[in-house]
Amino acid sequence: MAAGKGTRMKSSMPKVLHPVGGKAMAAHVLATAHALGARRTVVVTGHGAERVEAALRQAEPELNLAFVRQEPQLGTGHAVQQAAPALADDALVLVLSGDVPLTTVQTLQALLAAGQGQALALLTLTLPDPTGYGRIVRAADGAVQAIVEHKDASPAQRAIQEIYTGIMAVPAQHLKAWLARLDNHNAQGEYYLTDIVRFAVADGVPVVAHTITDPAEVAGVNSPSQLAALERACQARRAQALMEQGVRLLDPARFDVRGELRCGEDVEIDVNCVFEGRVVLGAGVRVGAHCVLANCEIAAGAVIHPFTHIDGEATGVRVGTDARVGPFARLRPGADLGADVHIGNFVEVKNTTLGAGSKANHLAYLGDATVGARVNYGAGSITANYDGANKHRTVIEDDVHVGSNCVLVAPITLGAGGTVGGGSTLTKSTPAGALSVARGKQVSIANWQRPTKKR
Ligand code: UD1
Ligand code: CA
């Protein structure tokens, strides 16, 4: 179910597309359905339907997805009624909500197991404050009799702390028959899906409750504050899972993964780091405080010093074994650093490969360049890769030494072992082994008199 408006989000974006852990809430739900091996996944859309459908098709292209529209939204029973024609008669239907992203596959497997494909299986939870939720009404022998919505509940029923989480498993054949019997004669004038519990009891179909204890698994999002709370819950889970793998997080509460982070052995991550997209950290990698790493692969032993920003976007960034990056470095798409490369403070690297042992330690720009091994690239030097219309490549062969404050006007090749004098603006390629200097010759005029102010 993903038709709801989410008025309290006060956002132009449909609620179910708001991200948790870098992924739309409804996409989490689809990924869970996928992991459960769902034969078919039917999404009920309404508010922002076109946007939701486009986003979800992209999120889970492998799922056998079907979309049905619910216009207007007349309640959860009405929502599932729209989906009914898309459900095979021999299906087992699992009802999930697009704004409840953190339900685990294990919990749902347990729910399915409890129902055994025969019963109406309800996922329930006991809450100290059950206000607002549907209550699980049981008979003296404990058998589930009904779900009563908060607004329809008597004072005695409101005292019940066991609530319906909004998740159920039900054989399609029963579900379809019961949906046809729903009415909206209740406090909210809605078609309640939860009324099918009464029908099951009347028809002698067993109703089982599978009870869980972690509220985060079934928590929905109605407001930015609830979204933030679930984001923390999601991050806490991810941090816990990584620590169980041996990753050392200096503070799991100051750690964010908005995508997928894979780590080798002995990885250490300092506080306030954000990982986005697909990030791989090899064995022994250390990431300093306040780094943002997106779509990159950091090889074993490399150290990323504090305040470094790495964003590989679509192309990716690779950092080689034992390399040193930062503090305050910026690696952009196509940066490919070899082993033992050093990239220091305020150095920007884009679409550039650097061979083993090369160093650019201070205040420099390397864009669209192929840099060999053991190159030293001086402070303040830049590749002038853009002529205003096109980008051109700079090639710096092995063992070149570029002094400080040089401008390398591309296209240009610096021959192996060459040296470039500081302050040079090079527009022509240089021969191997040569010293190249391209700047005004230094002149000193003896006893120079500075001009004086006219009176
Ligand atoms: C529902 C349950 C309640 C349970 C609670 C758990 C019913 C009648 N009540 O409450 O017992 O404790 O969930 O959170 O089912 N939706 C649609 N179309 C609609 C109405 C809702 O798609 O016409 C979607 C919403 O976007 C949401 C989900 O269904 O994703 C649940 O709706 P919501 O209004 O949050 O739940 P309640 O009806 O309040
Ligand atoms: Ca409602």
Side-chain angles (χ1 to χ4, degrees):
M1 296 185 292
K5 184 165 185 197
T7 311
R8 279 192 282 151
M9 288 302 290
K10 299 185 179 164
S11 167
S12 62
M13 182 155 76
K15 177 170 79 168
V16 295
L17 294 187
H18 281 269
V20 167
K23 181 152 94 176
M25 289 194 281
H28 280 271
V29 180
L30 293 189
T32 307
H34 189 61
L36 284 165
R39 209 204 286 173
R40 175 153 227 220
T41 304
V42 184
V43 183
V44 183
T45 60
H47 282 283
E50 274 169 25
R51 232 174 125 179
V52 172
E53 290 167 13
L56 295 186
R57 267 202 198 93
Q58 219 181 6
E60 284 287 332
E62 281 165 47
L63 263 185
N64 180 8
L65 269 186
F67 291 97
V68 296
R69 297 266 173 102
Q70 186 199 17
E71 302 277 6
Q73 286 88 42
L74 303 179
T76 53
H78 181 249
V80 179
Q81 276 171 353
Q82 312 313 305
L87 303 170
D89 283 340
D90 66 341
L92 180 60
V93 181
L94 186 61
V95 179
L96 302 166
S97 295
D99 56 356
V100 179
L102 297 186
T103 320
T104 63
V105 172
Q106 295 89 301
T107 289
L108 295 174
Q109 277 165 342
L111 177 71
L112 293 169
Q116 294 186 323
Q118 307 292 320
L120 168 57
L122 307 172
L123 191 66
T124 74
L125 173 75
T126 297
L127 287 179
D129 177 10
T131 307
Y133 291 97
R135 307 298 207 282
I136 304 293
V137 180
R138 290 176 184 265
D141 65 355
V144 175
Q145 296 285 282
I147 298 174
V148 180
E149 293 304 306
H150 181 88
K151 286 186 177 146
D152 300 283
S154 66
Q157 288 167 334
R158 286 190 181 182
I160 299 170
Q161 288 179 312
E162 187 184 5
I163 62 109
Y164 170 55
T165 60
I167 296 173
M168 63 167 69
V170 51
Q173 227 158 3
H174 289 315
L175 177 66
K176 288 183 184 186
W178 295 332
L179 287 172
R181 283 154 68 182
L182 290 178
D183 63 47
N184 62 354
H185 306 148
N186 52 55
Q188 301 184 81
E190 286 182 9
Y191 293 89
Y192 291 164
L193 178 62
T194 45
D195 281 348
I196 72 170
V197 176
R198 280 198 190 84
F199 303 152
V201 172
D203 290 355
V205 174
V207 180
V208 296
H210 175 69
T211 305
I212 57 165
T213 53
D214 178 7
E217 282 218 37
V218 291
V221 168
N222 294 304
S223 63
S225 140
Q226 289 173 341
L227 182 66
L230 272 204
E231 179 69 26
R232 285 336 303 162
C234 171
Q235 295 302 341
R237 269 190 194 178
R238 290 179 177 179
Q240 190 59 35
L242 286 163
M243 290 189 294
E244 278 163 19
Q245 285 165 34
V247 177
R248 296 192 289 276
L249 301 176
L250 270 79
D251 183 356
R254 286 179 289 168
F255 168 76
D256 291 84
V257 178
R258 300 174 191 155
E260 193 196 332
L261 173 63
R262 286 199 288 134
C263 294
E265 203 173 46
D266 285 314
V267 164
E268 202 173 286
I269 300 171
D270 208 334
V271 299
N272 287 334
C273 291
V274 178
F275 299 88
E276 294 173 351
R278 282 180 49 83
V279 176
V280 179
L281 305 180
V285 165
R286 285 190 287 133
V287 181
H290 309 283
C291 290
V292 177
L293 272 61
N295 297 304
C296 57
E297 242 183 276
I298 315 296
V303 179
I304 311 299
H305 289 295
F307 297 100
T308 290
H309 185 205
I310 301 180
D311 187 359
E313 290 176 18
T315 329
V317 164
R318 282 190 345 105
V319 172
T321 312
D322 296 324
R324 300 278 178 274
V325 178
F328 298 101
R330 181 169 184 217
L331 304 184
R332 293 172 51 205
D336 188 342
L337 281 46
D340 294 305
V341 163
H342 289 193
I343 297 296
N345 42 242
F346 306 106
V347 175
E348 176 182 349
V349 182
K350 184 215 76 172
N351 193 24
T352 289
T353 58
L354 286 115
S358 286
K359 296 185 172 76
N361 271 326
H362 330 267
L363 302 159
Y365 175 58
L366 280 159
D368 303 309
T370 305
V371 179
R374 300 170 304 277
V375 166
N376 206 306
Y377 194 77
S381 289
I382 65 155
T383 54
N385 56 325
Y386 186 52
D387 62 12
N390 298 298
K391 304 265 173 75
H392 301 283
R393 282 202 85 76
T394 298
V395 177
I396 306 176
E397 293 179 352
D398 292 350
D399 301 298
V400 165
H401 200 112
V402 177
S404 295
N405 206 32
C406 292
V407 179
L408 311 179
V409 182
I412 191 168
T413 297
L414 309 187
T419 304
V420 181
S424 291
T425 295
L426 296 186
T427 55
K428 293 195 289 276
S429 293
T430 61
L435 166 65
S436 303
V437 183
R439 63 177 184 235
K441 265 216 164 78
Q442 181 168 333
V443 178
S444 293
I445 298 173
N447 302 317
W448 174 251
Q449 292 297 312
R450 280 198 295 269
T452 52
K453 235 187 187 144
K454 292 214 168 71
R455 326 184 59 213

